[in-house]
């Protein structure tokens, strides 16, 4: 033991024998692989070392003795000549020690290796989950912004090519618009005058990642019945993030190829009560995900024989935020006839009202 | 695992750090642009339609 310490403490010996990089390597490895049982191995090392050698390499050997990993490395990959030379004198004792030590310390090593492996795995999972949060909160917004940009250009180009092109009215059947195509712009002045999104056809995950989606079997903008949209509350651009802040009377403007349709959230703008519409349709409801009758031609009425006489707009999203437990539903009703875009080059009046 | 990667990376400390950065970025990119978009629809957090 004492010889060992003095040898190890002898400053010059090792650094002169070995290249610096190797010394660094070993010290790093040493702290990781053999620090805890140091007491044990030092004892046995001391004995062993004194019996095997007494001469200068001692210090180096003592150090090397703790470095099973580095030694394996050196054995595996032929190192450049100088380092190999420097290591060589140690090798026999090193191998011997390694072999002899294996029996006594294998269990501790295994446990340590296992614990370290579990720890690293858990840390890795944690980092992946964190990265997923970053993805949800930021990356999907970026991707959605690009998708909206492309959809906007496509839709404007389509309308420029054929100004009379309107969405086909499905008349109760499925629309024939390809899923994922832009069909209209939605503007909600209450969310800011710059709030505009392209509404896409379809409500599968792929479509909803690009923008608010139109339930394919519901009415088209301006049509009698229920023009129903779904949109993300969080992530993917979060088009419907603030749906809960819409108040009775707030405008929702749908722009098609040639027309502005202005819908108003149902309820009493004076009192803020959503439930005052004589039709019985409330401006805002929270339902369970199975209650599909909120997007029926007359919201809440499941009787298909009743012919709708009103043009409704329904927005659906998930609530509460970051949850999929329930659905927040906004019902609105078409205000007056559609306004020809040609007559309102600066947008419909609803966009500029208080 | 991380120790093994560090030891396997070639070069000196600077090169190892650079190599680690490249590895981290590569793994992140694969996760962000391939794995997460694939796994996202399978998770229940984003169901928002009535069905």
């Amino acid at each position: 033991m004492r010889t060992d310490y003095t040898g190890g403490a002898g400053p010059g010996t090792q650094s002169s024998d070995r290249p610096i990089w190797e010394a660094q390597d070993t010290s790093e490895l040493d702290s990781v692989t053999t620090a805890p049982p140091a007491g044990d191995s030092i004892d046995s090392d001391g004995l062993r070392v004194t019996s095997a050698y007494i001469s200068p390499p001692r210090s180096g050997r003592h150090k090397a003795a703790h470095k099973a990993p580095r030694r394996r490395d050196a054995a595996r990959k032929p190192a450049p000549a100088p380092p190999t030379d420097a290591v060589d004198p140690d090798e026999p004792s090193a191998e011997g020690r390694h072999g002899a030590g294996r029996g006594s310390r294998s269990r501790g090593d295994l446990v340590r290796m296992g614990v370290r492996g579990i720890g690293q795995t858990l840390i890795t999972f944690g980092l992946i989950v964190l990265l997923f949060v970053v993805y949800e909160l930021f990356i999907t917004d970026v991707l959605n912004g690009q998708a909206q940009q492309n959809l906007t250009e496509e839709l404007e180009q389509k309308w420029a090519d054929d100004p009379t092109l309107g969405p086909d009215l499905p008349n109760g059947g499925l629309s024939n618009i390809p899923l994922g195509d832009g069909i209209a712009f939605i503007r909600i002045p209450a969310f800011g005058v710059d709030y505009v999104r392209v509404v896409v056809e379809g409500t599968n995950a792929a479509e909803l990642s690009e923008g608010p989606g139109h339930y394919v079997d519901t009415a088209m903008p301006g049509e009698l019945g229920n023009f129903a949209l779904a949109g993300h509350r969080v992530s993917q651009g979060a088009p419907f993030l603030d749906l809960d802040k819409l108040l009775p009377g707030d405008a929702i403007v749908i722009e098609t190829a040639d027309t502005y349709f202005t819908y108003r959230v149902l309820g009493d703008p004076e009192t803020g009560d959503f439930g005052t519409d004589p039709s019985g349709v409330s401006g805002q409801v929270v339902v369970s995900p199975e209650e599909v009758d909120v997007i029926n031609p007359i919201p809440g009425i499941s009787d298909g024989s009743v012919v709708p006489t009103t043009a409704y707009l329904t927005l659906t999203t998930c609530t509460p935020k970051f949850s999929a437990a329930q659905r927040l539903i906004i019902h609105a009703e078409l205000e007056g006839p559609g306004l020809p875009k040609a007559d309102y080059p600066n947008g419909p009046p609803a966009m500029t009202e208080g | 695992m991380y120790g093994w990667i560090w030891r396997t990376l070639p070069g000196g400390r600077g090169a190892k750090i650079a190599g680690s950065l490249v590895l981290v970025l590569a793994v992140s990119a694969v996760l962000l642009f391939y794995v997460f978009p694939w796994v996202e629809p399978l998770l229940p957090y984003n169901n928002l339609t009535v069905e």
Side-chain angles (χ1 to χ4, degrees):
Chain A
M1 228 31 217
R2 175 171 306 170
T3 31
D4 241 336
Y5 271 10
T6 28
T13 31
Q14 165 144 2
S15 40
S16 59
D17 280 351
R18 292 162 187 274
I20 281 175
W21 65 269
E22 195 162 1
Q24 280 173 345
D25 248 15
T26 42
S27 60
E28 278 163 14
L29 288 170
D30 196 22
S31 59
V32 176
T33 53
T34 50
D40 278 4
S41 31
I42 281 180
D43 271 348
S44 60
D45 284 354
L47 289 173
R48 191 171 289 277
V49 166
T50 20
S51 61
Y53 294 91
I54 311 181
S55 37
R58 195 193 302 135
S59 63
R61 179 180 330 109
H62 172 61
K63 217 155 187 212
H66 295 273
K67 272 70 191 203
R70 181 184 63 73
R71 181 160 304 104
R72 281 203 303 270
D73 257 1
R76 248 201 324 261
K77 303 181 245 178
T84 316
D85 282 332
V87 173
D88 257 61
D90 285 344
E91 284 305 328
S93 88
E95 289 305 322
R97 160 157 328 159
H98 188 121
R102 180 169 279 168
S104 62
R105 64 181 204 194
S106 65
R107 179 190 277 178
D109 271 0
L110 281 180
V111 169
R112 216 170 299 122
M113 195 189 296
V115 169
R116 197 189 315 139
I118 292 172
Q120 290 187 353
T121 306
L122 291 179
I123 290 173
T124 306
F125 279 145
L127 290 176
I128 289 176
V129 169
L130 274 182
L131 197 63
F132 185 71
V133 171
V134 170
Y135 167 81
E136 278 291 310
L137 294 185
F138 301 106
I139 307 292
T140 60
D141 286 356
V142 173
L143 297 177
N144 175 265
Q146 290 170 353
Q148 283 278 311
Q149 186 71 37
N150 295 339
L151 285 167
T152 302
E153 284 164 13
E154 279 173 29
L155 194 55
E156 281 172 345
Q157 186 60 46
K158 203 156 77 175
W159 287 350
D161 292 346
D162 181 3
T164 65
L165 181 77
D168 296 330
L169 303 185
N171 291 320
L174 295 176
S175 75
N176 55 4
I177 302 172
L179 291 181
D181 273 20
I183 61 171
F185 291 103
I186 180 172
R187 289 187 172 82
I188 303 180
F191 294 171
V193 286
D194 56 346
Y195 177 94
V196 56
R197 300 296 163 104
V198 180
V199 177
V200 298
E201 182 70 1
T203 50
N204 299 311
E207 288 94 62
L208 291 175
S209 70
E210 307 217 310
H214 170 235
Y215 289 90
V216 293
D217 53 353
T218 64
M220 280 298 178
E223 197 186 22
L224 292 182
N226 194 354
F227 177 55
L229 307 177
H232 276 283
R233 186 83 183 275
V234 291
S235 82
Q236 319 281 356
F240 288 174
L241 171 68
D242 291 328
L243 224 53
D244 58 329
K245 299 196 174 71
L246 282 181
L247 298 173
D250 278 350
I252 300 166
V253 176
I254 304 295
E255 176 187 349
T256 63
D258 53 4
T259 311
Y260 292 115
F261 294 102
T262 302
Y263 293 82
R264 297 276 174 186
V265 176
L266 292 170
D268 185 351
E270 299 298 321
T271 62
D273 182 358
F274 286 103
T276 59
D277 194 74
S279 68
V281 179
S282 175
Q284 182 192 86
V285 285
V286 173
V287 301
S288 72
E290 300 80 31
E291 295 185 41
V292 295
D293 56 6
V294 294
I295 61 169
N296 283 353
I298 303 172
I301 304 293
S302 298
D303 184 354
S305 65
V306 181
V307 179
T309 57
T310 308
Y312 291 103
L313 166 75
T314 296
L315 308 178
T316 74
T317 192
C318 49
T319 197
K321 285 174 195 167
F322 300 101
S323 161
Q326 293 184 294
R327 300 290 179 267
L328 174 64
I329 313 293
I330 298 292
H331 291 302
E333 188 182 311
L334 185 63
E335 176 189 63
L339 307 175
K341 282 162 79 171
D343 297 349
Y344 294 88
N346 298 321
M351 287 305 296
T352 51
E353 69 190 9
Chain B
M1 179 179 68
Y2 295 118
W4 177 82
I5 292 174
W6 183 257
R7 264 173 273 130
T8 308
L9 284 171
R13 176 165 297 185
K16 281 172 185 275
I17 290 175
S20 310
L21 266 179
V22 169
L23 276 183
V24 166
L25 289 179
V27 170
S28 301
V30 168
L31 285 174
L32 286 178
F33 297 112
Y34 294 97
V35 178
F36 290 162
W38 168 76
V39 90
E40 189 182 29
L42 307 177
L43 298 175
Y45 310 123
N46 262 312
N47 298 332
L48 52 92
T49 57
V50 288
E51 52 193 16

